[in-house]
Each structure stands twice: as structure tokens, then as C-alpha cells.
Amino acid sequence: NDGPVSAGENQPVEVVGEDLEALAEDGTDPSVGVTAPTLNGYAFDGSNLSVTPGNGKPYMVVFLAHWGPHCNDEVPRLIEWKESGAVPADLQVIAVSTAVASDRPNYPPSQWVVDKAWPWPVMADSEARDAAQAYGVSGFPFFTIVGADGKVKVRASGELGIDRINQIVTAALAN
């Protein structure tokens, strides 16, 4: 990084570590137990934002597409989940806005997350979708839970709903 980055719907992302394999359609996940890559990137406003697995805190990384109907349905559920007090205190939640398309609904995503009242940090993916590729994203929304040890605990694609989110987070953090 050679100085500050200007605001933008896409931002450069540096991936440190090995890309995770894509989540198989049958749900088998070859990346469970694998160290997740670090994502060094930026928020829409150009401020630094990183996902640093293995820093002693668990992460839930949620990949969102502003135009996706499933993302638009799931975001309010995630906010409700937070407002219910069910989010574990030590769990860091971060969204990655990816697959940006100026010709699709809810563009620009920087305004979409404001309109949706998304309460957590949002990293802007690169135009090449480097962050999404690094995490093996296979659909939207896409969830990756990374343990405090930096290893992938679970990944899931599609709408989960609050009950399922609670289940996978609880199970992932218990391991």
C-alpha cells in the first residue's frame, strides 16, 4: 500500500496465505481445519480494514452482494440477531461487499449498507473479487466462521436465518 486509498465501491485487497477451496455443492467442505487467509483491504471510505485470522479472536466473515435477493433478505436477520444479544461478545463480524455491479439493484453498495443499517465493518472487495476468491465463495450470502486459532470452523452459502446462524456459530466456537 503506497499511501491512502480514495473512496470507492471496489478497493484493492491483499490476500496473505493460501486461498480456500470452493465450498462443494453437496456441502462437504475441504477447508474446515485449514488456516484462513488474511485479508488486508479497505472500507468504502478508503480506511484500512483487515481480517486477521489467528489473532486470538474468532471471526464471522459475511460475503454480500448488494443486488442479491438472498442477501437483501438475510441482512435484516443478521441485524436482528445482533439486536437480540445472541452474538457472542468475542466474535468479530465483518462483511465483505463483493460482486459489485453498477447496473444491478441497490447500487452503490456503500449506500446500500447504510440504508440497511448494517452495524458491523464492511470491507470493499476488489473488482477481481480477490477476497471472495480467497475464501472460496460459492454463492451469496456466504458465511465463514474462523476460530480464535485462525482455522476455518464452518462455511455456509445462502440464506440461513437466525436459528441456523445461532447453531453454526455456537457449534463453530465450541470446537
Side-chain angles (χ1 to χ4, degrees):
N1 162 359
D2 301 319
V5 173
S6 61
E9 301 306 315
N10 290 294
Q11 297 284 6
V13 176
E14 177 197 28
V15 177
V16 180
E18 295 294 313
D19 285 3
L20 302 175
E21 288 184 50
L23 184 63
E25 282 190 28
D26 67 4
T28 57
D29 193 346
S31 293
V32 168
V34 173
T35 299
T38 295
L39 302 176
N40 294 316
Y42 303 90
F44 293 120
D45 66 3
S47 58
N48 289 309
L49 197 53
S50 292
V51 175
T52 312
N55 68 354
K57 285 184 170 266
Y59 280 88
M60 181 168 82
V61 187
V62 185
F63 291 85
L64 298 170
H66 61 88
W67 45 264
H70 300 296
C71 294
N72 279 280
D73 289 345
E74 193 78 334
V75 164
R77 292 183 198 123
L78 286 161
I79 294 168
E80 188 181 327
W81 178 58
K82 181 183 196 309
E83 290 172 351
S84 76
V87 179
D90 63 338
L91 182 68
Q92 297 185 325
V93 178
I94 186 168
V96 177
S97 167
T98 191
V100 174
S102 60
D103 60 342
R104 303 287 294 270
N106 306 309
Y107 182 86
S110 58
Q111 185 59 47
W112 175 67
V113 296
V114 170
D115 293 345
K116 287 284 191 185
W118 180 259
W120 294 288
V122 180
M123 179 182 289
D125 203 352
S126 65
E127 285 186 47
R129 303 182 187 181
D130 292 313
Q133 183 177 328
Y135 272 68
V137 171
S138 59
F140 306 114
F142 190 88
F143 299 85
T144 303
I145 314 273
V146 179
D149 60 0
K151 299 197 183 313
V152 174
K153 301 303 180 188
V154 67
R155 294 187 300 169
S157 181
E159 289 182 52
L160 300 180
I162 294 173
D163 290 346
R164 184 82 184 108
I165 291 166
N166 268 328
Q167 287 171 354
I168 68 169
V169 168
T170 301
L173 298 185
N175 292 340

